[in-house]
Amino acid sequence: MYEHVRGLMAAPFTALRADGEINLDAVEDQAAMLRRNGVCGVFVCGTTGEGLSLTTDERMQVAQRWMEVAGRKMRVFVHVSHTSVVEARALAAHARKIGAHAVGMMGPVFFRSSRVEDVAAHCAIVAEAAGELPFYYYHIPSYNGAYVSVCRLLEAAKDRIANLAGAKFTHEDLADYGACLALEGGRFDILFGRDEMLLAALALGAKGAIGSTYNFAGLLYGGLLEAFDGGDLVRARRLQAKAVEIIDAISATACGYLPAAKAIVKMLGLDLGPVRSPLRDITVEEEKALRARLERIGFFEYACKL
């Protein structure tokens, strides 16, 4: 059994320069900010990191830089999904080469299947290239359309993926999530990925989570974990409600969640640059409106410190 994650892992943004090229120089400041605010690891080049908008070479550079900067102090998981299984295997092999702590991948994102056997077979091809690195299935059906039961998928994959460690579960199906936690006496590490529902997952038995808002509100979620572990459900519910308010404010921005969320880190003093097409950057007017709404709901009282 692989060592399970305890605490919060961030899904970091990929820093870009003004010309749209990756900015590896920013990673050191990102890592320092996350560590300072209680985050224990990162899942790089995933959805928040715009991984599928980067080239394979760019993704390898980003993963290697995170390992150089943070690999001894934080867990570094590398997202290796790709529309080409050949490229996904190359990313997995590279993660092994640089000494990453684990790899994770979604089910197919274009030629999709809802048969757990098909998804498990596809994952097995990529997981094999990662060698002994723990392999996590990344469940995010709202993005990739792979609406499968993760519990059934783990059952289908456990005998064909030797390094199967668990899943990153970014979905609202708490019944399936609970079943994953209970499978084979808690063998699998099931990391929760819906920040606005973290408290519900903790009630079901979650111990670790990976989230995008941990990039700038890690202190809030750290307080939520502390309150839950201490039996202070009133405080835990209050902090979860505050997280929902923050996420609602970000999601309401016309540019969409990811550009707005990346802009928040800039508000806190760390400029990670633009987003890459097909996303569009937040406008000056949208950023002003977002800041005003965040101020009204008291976000900056809970924000991470640079």
Side-chain angles (χ1 to χ4, degrees):
M1 181 183 292
Y2 295 102
E3 182 183 358
H4 291 194
V5 173
R6 296 291 185 270
L8 305 175
M9 295 183 67
F13 302 100
T14 295
L16 300 178
R17 301 189 187 281
D19 61 3
E21 297 299 310
I22 58 173
N23 179 9
L24 299 178
D25 293 339
V27 174
E28 189 168 3
D29 287 336
Q30 286 181 269
M33 182 177 180
L34 292 173
R35 288 198 304 272
R36 194 173 296 119
N37 290 278
V39 173
C40 70
V42 290
F43 183 43
V44 303
C45 293
T47 305
T48 305
E50 300 178 73
L52 293 182
S53 297
L54 305 177
T55 68
T56 297
D57 181 64
E58 286 175 327
R59 291 169 68 173
M60 289 179 177
Q61 289 184 59
V62 170
Q64 182 164 341
R65 185 57 181 157
W66 273 100
M67 279 303 302
E68 291 169 352
V69 167
R72 294 184 180 182
K73 298 178 180 179
M74 307 171 75
R75 292 198 194 193
V76 178
F77 287 16
V78 179
H79 176 240
V80 300
S81 297
H82 200 287
T83 51
S84 164
V85 72
V86 177
E87 296 294 296
R89 281 179 56 86
L91 287 163
H94 180 262
R96 178 186 185 185
K97 178 181 177 181
I98 64 175
H101 299 92
V103 297
M105 70 172 288
M106 298 180 284
V109 300
F110 186 77
F111 292 116
R112 299 195 297 257
S113 175
S114 293
R115 295 185 70 251
V116 293
E117 296 80 10
D118 294 341
V119 177
H122 178 68
C123 289
I125 296 171
V126 178
E128 188 272 337
E132 73 286 353
L133 291 189
F135 176 88
Y136 286 76
Y137 176 71
Y138 179 12
H139 185 53
I140 185 165
S142 60
Y143 272 76
N144 74 341
Y147 285 93
V148 298
S149 162
V150 180
C151 185
R152 288 184 55 224
L153 176 62
L154 292 172
E155 290 179 317
K158 65 184 181 181
D159 293 328
R160 66 176 79 189
I161 300 179
N163 51 335
L164 181 64
K168 181 196 174 193
F169 196 103
T170 307
H171 190 39
E172 297 75 27
D173 189 345
L174 293 177
D176 189 31
Y177 181 74
C180 291
L181 290 173
L183 187 62
E184 296 195 5
R187 166 185 169 184
F188 296 106
D189 187 19
I190 312 299
L191 302 169
F192 197 66
R194 275 282 184 251
D195 304 1
E196 59 269 53
M197 299 176 66
L198 178 58
L199 181 56
L202 293 174
L204 288 172
K207 301 298 182 184
I210 301 176
S212 62
T213 59
Y214 306 160
N215 283 292
F216 45 80
L219 293 175
L220 184 155
Y221 292 98
L224 194 161
L225 291 177
E226 181 182 27
F228 180 82
D229 289 342
D232 189 350
L233 289 181
V234 172
R235 180 168 179 254
R237 290 172 187 142
R238 177 173 58 79
L239 290 173
Q240 183 68 88
K242 182 59 63 177
V244 171
E245 280 190 280
I246 294 165
I247 293 168
D248 284 348
I250 300 168
S251 301
T253 308
C255 63
Y257 177 86
L258 217 162
K262 198 171 190 179
I264 291 177
V265 181
K266 182 179 178 182
M267 294 178 195
L268 300 180
L270 182 57
D271 188 352
L272 300 179
V275 291
R276 182 170 286 184
S277 181
L279 298 176
R280 74 159 176 86
D281 290 314
I282 192 169
T283 65
V284 173
E285 293 76 16
E286 289 166 349
E287 187 172 344
K288 287 180 179 178
L290 175 60
R291 178 187 283 274
R293 182 167 177 178
L294 291 173
E295 288 174 346
R296 286 197 301 273
I297 63 177
F299 160 72
F300 293 97
E301 298 174 23
Y302 301 93
C304 289
K305 311 303 180 187
L306 182 60

